[in-house]
Amino acid sequence: MLPDLQIRKDKVAEIKLALWEGSLSQLAIATKFGLSQATISRIYRGVSWRWLPWPDGTQGGFPQTRFDILQGKTPPDYVKTIAEEIAKSLEDNKN
């Protein structure tokens, strides 16, 4: 396994793309690149390589909106769900 400091920028960009696509687990990505799952997790959380942007141009940890999309929630669905929960809560408090 390679330490974080020995991973090249182009490899981290490939790792971020694989995480972005969401088709492989962190463990599968780690195996593919000869790294530990912990290293992949640090990249995912933005602990390591936070300055290198994700495919959407954001920096830091994995973007929450992308996570929601991979979980089957689109941002409008997410907003709609929150609005429905607030409306229900208001209705419950009214009664």
Side-chain angles (χ1 to χ4, degrees):
M1 312 264 172
L2 294 172
D4 290 354
L5 295 175
Q6 293 185 4
I7 308 169
R8 293 189 348 233
K9 179 182 169 183
D10 60 327
K11 292 297 177 194
V12 176
E14 288 180 52
I15 290 166
K16 284 193 169 194
L17 182 58
L19 288 165
W20 187 264
E21 291 170 346
S23 59
L24 297 174
S25 68
Q26 289 185 17
L27 184 57
I29 294 168
T31 301
K32 178 179 176 179
F33 287 93
L35 302 168
S36 69
Q37 183 275 326
T39 296
I40 302 302
S41 177
R42 284 193 296 275
I43 293 168
Y44 177 86
R45 292 179 289 128
V47 174
S48 297
W49 296 89
R50 86 180 290 109
W51 59 269
L52 186 66
W54 291 94
D56 70 346
T58 60
Q59 294 177 321
F62 195 76
Q64 182 65 45
T65 52
R66 181 63 183 164
F67 177 80
D68 289 343
I69 290 168
L70 290 174
Q71 297 299 310
K73 293 181 183 177
T74 58
D77 291 341
Y78 186 70
V79 171
K80 182 180 173 188
T81 300
I82 291 173
E84 289 170 349
E85 288 174 9
I86 291 171
K88 184 179 180 326
S89 176
L90 290 172
E91 187 63 34
D92 289 347
N93 289 334
K94 197 176 186 182
N95 294 328

